[in-house]
Amino acid sequence: MQITSPEFKQNARAALADPNLQKALRHVRSNFIDKRAKAAGALPEFEALRDNARDIKNHTLAHLDLYLEAYEDRVRQAGGEVHYAETAETARDIIRSICERAGAKTVTKGKSMIAEEINLNDYLEEHGITPVETDLGEYIIQLRHEPPSHIIAPAVHLTREQVEESFRKSHTDLAPDRDLTEPTELLAEARAKLRERFLAADVGITGANFLVAETGTSVIVTNEGNGDLTQILPRVHIVIASIEKITPTLNDVSQIMRLLARSATGQDMSVYTTFSTGPRRPEDPDGPDEYHVVILDNGRTGMLGSDFQEALRCIRCGACMNHCPVYHAIGGHAYGWVYPGPIGAVLDPQLIGVDKAGNLPNASTFCGRCEAVCPMRIPLPNMMRHWREREFERHLSPAVARYGIGFWAFFARRPRLYQWATRLAMRVLANRAIGKGRYTSLPLAGGWTKYRDFPAPEGRTFQEQWSARRKAS
Amino acid sequence: MVGAEEGVVSDREVILGKIRRALAADGNDVGRRAIVIARLEGTPRGIIPERGQLPQEERVALFTTMAEKVSATVGRIAALEDVPRAVAEFLRKHNLPASLRIGADPLLADLAWDGTQIAVSHGPSDGGDPVGLSHAVAGIAESGTLVLTSGPDNPTTLNFLPETHIVVIRAADIAGDYETVWDEVRETYGKGHMPRTVNMVTGPSRSADIEQTLLLGAHGPRRLHIVVVG
């Protein structure tokens, strides 16, 4: 997708003024948080499982090269092929050549954030192959030519009315006066439309929630069953996944699975958890003839051994964005690239550059809710702070901010001067605000006072009051 | 693709090399390899929730409660020969077509369908079958989950294409947790090996992609009926 992260501020302003988006976002605030809390609360071992899941992924990352090799061996033994892709470009080429060899005209797709990351749909279309998204949310946004706004609920930014409008515009072969007022009718229409596509597709492409080293298995987790129809009906199944999806054993996967659906949708378990190992066997009456796995790096090895290594534990449940006050206010598109919310603020600067995505780690109140709910205990606010530091070190932050911080640092390093200056400033600000108690505008602080008043200081600094109290006691 | 053109470093080598440099690790380090082999061989179980650790009857009861919680329906019969009657009753009660697609599972093969007026056909589904019948090799009480394996006995297409999916499971095959089922899979298929597809199914298909409203019957079956035997 096109990167608009550098225009984050304009994006956010537009999002706040978009009535449809604001209406749709109400469902995020009310639904996800309660459901997750209930599901997590109902499992006494939930917190211990979080610790264990963190440890499993840490162990895996520390031995990632060896687990990749073990995984690859098993896939091959089962008759599948493994392809490595260092860049998005290579991944697209590999997928295209598999599709071309299969003579593919249409490709069905299960929901995959990696496919979004490498811009696969546009690329396939440019090469005469029609990609069909089959997850209901992805199907809706494909009809609208929009990117997903959430990693597990891609159409969460849309209202029912907007979905109806898109279906009427796209499904022109159906009666124009048909009733689509109920969501069930919309679902039934999408089901019928996509059923034809499932049965006609030549290649099915899915992502993977896990790649299991023990058995060479790829795992997908869905509620709709679209991922399964995508991978069992066509002749060729391609899995596209990034290196950190490797998980040692089926037991390790099961430990993390207990966190995934609870953190994502508040379900104990998603409806379909499917373990696929290689292509169809000689005795099998169904399933794909070919099974390919494309393993993508795309900058992730650069996170290993860095301040951001722990973000590779992410299992893409979406809990961080579901609990983020910034995401609640502006939705996912404003972030301007594939991964929105707190995890996006950490991943996007790594994957597309801090020069482009530097705004994202700054768009946080550091309230810490994301870290509190992250099933993999990723220290998201801390990582956003690291990106802020890097942005500053690389002179990417705006000049005003840099001078402001430099100015403050000059005083902060000189305690006596600092105390004298703040004491003076507090007295001046207190005196000038007598009777009002607040400032509606302040020089050099227009950004603050534009949206709220600045409370007038009481006349004495914290340090003064502190020492006065200590003397008194 | 492994074994790229000569003289060109493959993406595989580049990625593995980057990982090793970042971790300051050696791919031939015997100690690291031993740790990895130990985990792959030892398959530690981790933390198993107490919830499913119950005697068999209570386990079946928990399985039923959890499956019903996610909108599956559950019936229980005493013996296998009652399956045709139970299936016929279910289809009649829900006004569904008396037509059934079944794989070659020996457990379901010898059942007497003659007395039921159900038209039974065998093999994978091409999307035209209203009702599929499968045999689940295991169940998981903890979450009301069914475990189905691919092959001629239970073609995977039957799990997804028919609008109604009926699944037969033996009470004795209901485990407390996923890890116990993996132990059984390892025993059946050999360590490190899997059937082509293992489907864990927890309730009928659903979507909440339109305004977060939960709707049943997205792309997979709209109805999931479980028949517990024994």
Side-chain angles (χ1 to χ4, degrees):
Chain A
M1 68 185 270
Q2 209 192 332
I3 297 168
T4 67
S5 307
E7 290 87 51
F8 177 79
K9 285 183 190 172
Q10 293 93 301
N11 293 350
R13 215 168 289 139
L16 288 168
D18 179 342
N20 277 326
L21 175 66
Q22 292 302 322
K23 188 180 162 205
L25 284 172
R26 280 208 299 263
H27 299 291
V28 178
R29 286 192 285 265
S30 56
N31 260 334
F32 282 122
I33 294 179
D34 294 349
K35 285 185 183 161
R36 180 218 167 257
K38 222 185 234 172
L43 186 68
E45 295 87 355
F46 191 78
E47 294 305 315
L49 281 161
R50 285 175 74 187
D51 289 338
N52 195 34
R54 174 199 59 206
D55 296 346
I56 289 169
K57 277 285 182 184
N58 283 348
H59 164 83
T60 313
L61 292 171
H63 302 88
L64 187 58
D65 51 331
L66 302 178
Y67 280 119
L68 273 166
E69 287 179 349
Y71 167 75
E72 191 188 321
D73 282 349
R74 287 295 187 196
V75 175
R76 234 171 256 129
Q77 280 172 22
E81 280 188 52
V82 177
H83 313 260
Y84 284 87
E86 195 198 352
T87 63
E89 197 188 351
T90 312
R92 289 191 299 253
D93 280 347
I94 293 168
I95 292 170
R96 178 178 55 122
S97 71
I98 297 170
C99 290
E100 283 175 353
R101 251 189 295 138
K105 288 192 183 64
T106 65
V107 166
T108 41
K109 284 183 66 212
K111 210 181 94 53
S112 157
M113 293 312 292
I114 299 294
E116 296 289 340
E117 186 180 319
I118 67 170
N119 230 343
L120 186 60
N121 286 1
D122 290 349
Y123 177 83
L124 290 176
E125 266 176 84
E126 281 164 27
H127 289 85
I129 301 162
T130 309
V132 181
E133 292 290 352
T134 63
D135 170 85
L136 178 61
E138 288 281 346
Y139 176 68
I140 294 166
I141 60 169
Q142 191 183 25
L143 294 180
R144 299 172 62 88
H145 306 287
E146 286 177 7
S149 69
H150 189 289
I151 62 173
I152 65 156
V156 77
H157 59 287
L158 297 172
T159 62
R160 191 206 59 76
E161 290 79 7
Q162 288 173 297
V163 178
E164 178 181 347
E165 181 197 304
S166 300
F167 279 20
R168 289 195 187 284
K169 222 162 117 189
S170 304
H171 304 157
T172 46
D173 55 322
L174 300 174
D177 59 347
R178 66 195 186 279
D179 192 359
L180 287 177
T181 41
E182 290 300 320
T184 45
E185 288 152 351
L186 292 166
L187 179 71
E189 185 165 315
R191 179 184 167 110
K193 279 277 161 203
L194 282 164
R195 193 46 83 87
E196 301 161 16
R197 309 308 285 266
F198 279 126
L199 294 164
D202 308 295
V203 173
I205 301 176
T206 67
N209 291 82
F210 307 94
L211 303 175
V212 193
E214 179 189 354
T215 50
T217 301
S218 58
V219 185
I220 58 166
V221 176
T222 77
N223 277 322
E224 299 183 6
N226 65 305
D228 290 280
L229 292 174
T230 298
Q231 67 180 43
I232 55 176
L233 295 174
R235 279 174 293 117
V236 179
H237 176 202
I238 305 174
V239 179
I240 167 98
S242 48
I243 51 171
E244 82 279 14
K245 293 292 163 200
I246 293 280
T247 312
T249 69
L250 294 165
N251 289 359
D252 294 328
V253 168
S254 304
Q255 293 284 299
I256 301 172
M257 254 163 41
R258 290 193 178 90
L259 302 169
L260 177 58
R262 287 185 173 92
S263 300
T265 53
Q267 291 167 282
D268 284 358
M269 179 85 166
S270 300
V271 177
Y272 301 113
T273 304
T274 298
F275 299 76
S276 308
T277 314
R280 99 161 54 181
R281 313 260 162 99
E283 68 280 12
D284 279 349
D286 48 23
D289 295 325
E290 288 179 39
Y291 174 84
H292 300 265
V293 185
V294 181
I295 300 180
L296 178 74
D297 177 355
N298 208 25
R300 287 167 175 79
T301 44
M303 298 168 78
L304 279 175
S306 82
D307 290 336
F308 306 103
Q309 174 165 327
E310 290 179 276
L312 292 173
R313 291 202 298 261
C314 176
I315 54 171
R316 305 288 188 270
C317 69
C320 60
M321 57 199 76
N322 292 342
H323 291 76
C324 176
V326 178
Y327 184 95
H328 288 166
I330 59 172
H333 284 160
Y335 289 81
W337 198 57
V338 177
Y339 304 102
I343 188 64
V346 170
L347 277 182
D348 296 355
Q350 171 72 26
L351 300 181
I352 60 173
V354 68
D355 53 329
K356 292 198 188 72
N359 281 321
L360 308 188
N362 283 293
S364 168
T365 61
F366 281 179
C367 69
R369 278 161 85 178
C370 49
E371 184 176 356
V373 297
C374 174
M376 307 305 288
R377 299 203 190 280
I378 300 169
L380 290 157
N382 218 4
M383 291 184 175
M384 286 185 246
R385 197 170 51 74
H386 287 311
W387 278 123
R388 290 185 186 186
E389 285 163 10
R390 291 196 184 193
E391 195 194 22
F392 188 83
E393 282 161 16
R394 290 182 53 189
H395 296 268
L396 292 168
S397 26
V400 176
R402 301 186 64 78
Y403 288 130
I405 290 171
F407 185 71
W408 179 81
F410 176 84
F411 284 95
R413 288 202 199 100
R414 293 164 178 80
R416 281 177 177 282
L417 180 64
Y418 182 90
Q419 281 175 27
W420 174 82
T422 48
R423 225 178 301 165
L424 181 68
M426 289 313 110
R427 291 210 166 62
V428 170
L429 284 172
N431 280 335
R432 296 196 54 178
I434 286 172
K436 291 184 292 194
R438 65 201 166 96
Y439 284 94
T440 53
S441 74
L442 273 177
L444 300 175
W448 170 277
T449 53
K450 190 171 167 193
Y451 299 103
R452 49 239 189 267
D453 291 344
F454 186 83
E458 289 171 7
R460 290 203 305 161
T461 67
F462 173 78
Q463 289 183 349
E464 278 180 274
Q465 295 188 39
W466 179 253
S467 56
R469 270 182 212 197
R470 282 186 60 173
K471 268 180 212 155
S473 61
Chain B
M1 271 164 275
V2 190
E5 299 156 53
E6 232 172 286
V8 180
V9 183
S10 69
D11 278 40
R12 176 183 188 274
E13 288 162 58
V14 172
I15 292 172
L16 292 178
K18 279 185 170 182
I19 293 171
R20 284 173 183 143
R21 273 195 300 282
L23 297 172
D26 180 351
N28 299 315
D29 182 332
V30 181
R32 289 181 79 232
R33 285 204 177 264
I35 291 170
V36 166
I37 291 166
R39 189 166 194 103
L40 293 176
E41 295 281 321
T43 59
R45 282 167 69 89
I47 292 153
I48 310 297
E50 281 296 311
R51 183 196 278 182
Q53 309 307 301
L54 300 164
Q56 186 182 309
E57 257 326 288
E58 289 165 54
R59 215 158 56 218
V60 174
L62 176 65
F63 172 83
T64 305
T65 309
M66 296 309 284
E68 285 173 345
K69 205 175 115 185
V70 291
S71 311
T73 51
V74 185
R76 189 153 183 194
I77 55 175
L80 259 181
E81 52 263 33
D82 298 335
V83 167
R85 188 187 46 75
V87 170
E89 252 170 46
F90 175 80
L91 295 179
R92 230 181 359 254
K93 188 176 154 201
H94 294 273
N95 213 12
L96 293 165
S99 161
L100 207 59
R101 187 86 173 163
I102 317 179
D105 197 298
L107 194 80
L108 308 174
D110 301 328
L111 296 172
W113 296 100
D114 302 349
T116 60
Q117 292 171 341
I118 297 175
V120 177
S121 63
H122 292 271
S125 179
D126 61 1
D129 316 293
V131 187
L133 179 72
S134 309
H135 164 220
V137 294
I140 295 150
E142 186 183 330
S143 50
T145 300
L146 295 162
V147 182
L148 299 114
T149 50
S150 61
D153 289 355
N154 293 284
T156 308
T157 38
L158 289 183
N159 302 343
F160 295 97
L161 285 170
E163 291 222 345
T164 300
H165 192 203
I166 305 177
V167 181
V168 173
I169 182 168
R170 277 194 290 227
D173 292 334
I174 295 174
D177 51 82
Y178 314 102
E179 287 79 355
T180 300
V181 174
W182 293 133
D183 281 342
E184 287 161 17
V185 168
R186 287 182 195 109
E187 199 157 300
T188 311
Y189 294 85
K191 267 195 162 185
H193 299 283
M194 286 276 269
R196 178 180 54 83
T197 308
V198 175
N199 290 117
M200 287 192 178
V201 177
T202 313
S205 159
R206 67 199 60 200
S207 175
D209 273 345
I210 301 171
E211 288 193 343
Q212 301 284 295
T213 313
L214 185 69
L215 304 169
L216 294 185
H219 293 296
R222 292 173 207 263
R223 264 181 228 90
L224 174 67
H225 182 62
I226 304 169
V227 181
V228 179
V229 181

